[in-house]
Amino acid sequence: MKILVVGAGAIGGYFGGRLLEKGEGVTFLVRERRKQELESTGLNIDSVNGNCRLTPQLITKNSEPHPYDVVLLSTKSYQLADAIEDMRPFVGEDTMVLPLLNGIAHVDQLIEAFGETSVIGGLCFVETTLDENGTIVQSSPVNQLVYGERSGEETDRIRQLKRAFDGTKAEFMLSHKINQEMWHKYLFITTMSGITTLFEKPIGPIRKLASGQRTIAVLLEELETVMEADGAPIEKGISKKLLERINGLGEEMKSSMQRDAEKSKPIEAEHLQGFLLAKARESGVAVPVLETVFTKLKLYEQAVKK
């Protein structure tokens, strides 16, 4: 398959790199600066799951337009509008658009841009970052990408995609319940990002405190209630399962939002916490912990803009 990865950052570079390492036909759509960097250094991955040094195929938004079989999209939400325009010349009638963004709101934006049938479901679990040399550093065993038709069907195109994804050093998993899994990931990441960024600590020290443990549990319950009120396809009692998962994370685990905040970079407050806060207001659901988290995040954003 002809696979286009939008961006060669921490997530797209990692999963795209694993596919390229396997021998798949991967091209990276990048900005001119990143293109020059990668032409000089190559695409380098330092990972507990195996290091690799790759020579990637690169294009920019000004390259000759032609459609790809699948476009893998892993930008931040605040980069999505620009990414849609950059990738538009490379999306054809039969192209699958596979987004790995956190949250849910981006799905409607992509459907509006490329059509209902073009957009499939996706999410990922991976702890990865770019170092000062542009190397992708992946530091934990978890490196999972989950994908599937939003209808739940196992179509011919999804089977073809599975053949391309199988056999890499990352875990590419086909799901027949991708909508539900995306909402579950949304609940998980909105809690993790909100809690760790609120308290400016890794998850370990927070959850060791009885008050911290309770704050995590209440936020999960608030978000589950909001999602249920909105008709989201979540599993009943999912907040309790996710609390167990959070309590099983490594002591030093940080969210990507917290890492971005530590570097005074933009964060996805509106896309993650803000979207659900708006849904809570529409439904009349009380969410005091979510309100507290969102206030902290907006104050951070105001301070960074000064």
Side-chain angles (χ1 to χ4, degrees), residues 81-96:
D82 287 341
I84 286 173
E85 294 311 311
D86 290 352
M87 62 192 265
R88 197 182 291 278
F90 308 104
V91 176
E93 290 184 5
D94 298 322
T95 301
M96 288 178 280

Side-chain angles (χ1 to χ4, degrees), residues 92-97 110-111 114-121 149-150 155 157:
E93 290 184 5
D94 298 322
T95 301
M96 288 178 280
V97 176
L110 290 168
I111 290 172
F114 302 113
E116 178 73 35
T117 59
S118 294
V119 183
I120 64 174
E149 296 281 9
R150 291 184 296 112
T155 58
R157 67 177 187 174

Side-chain angles (χ1 to χ4, degrees), residues 5-75:
V5 180
V6 180
I11 295 176
Y14 180 76
F15 288 110
R18 288 305 189 196
L19 289 166
L20 180 60
E21 177 187 34
K22 176 197 168 189
E24 292 297 328
V26 178
T27 300
F28 293 90
L29 172 61
V30 293
R31 304 288 185 180
E32 187 60 42
R33 181 177 176 183
R34 181 66 167 154
K35 182 174 183 287
Q36 292 175 5
E37 180 180 59
L38 291 170
E39 286 174 340
S40 174
T41 65
L43 180 67
N44 301 313
I45 297 174
D46 288 348
S47 168
V48 295
N49 297 295
N51 300 338
C52 60
R53 303 290 180 263
L54 304 162
T55 302
Q57 181 73 31
L58 306 169
I59 61 171
T60 69
K61 63 181 181 180
N62 297 318
S63 297
E64 182 178 351
H66 65 275
Y68 285 78
D69 296 314
V70 60
V71 176
L72 194 65
L73 179 64
S74 61
T75 60

Side-chain angles (χ1 to χ4, degrees), residues 270-298:
E270 289 290 348
H271 186 68
L272 297 179
Q273 288 80 10
F275 181 82
L276 288 175
L277 184 56
K279 292 293 185 182
R281 289 169 178 162
E282 290 174 10
S283 303
V285 177
V287 285
V289 178
L290 178 59
E291 290 270 14
T292 301
V293 168
F294 189 69
T295 301
K296 163 70 175 181
L297 301 181
K298 296 306 289 185

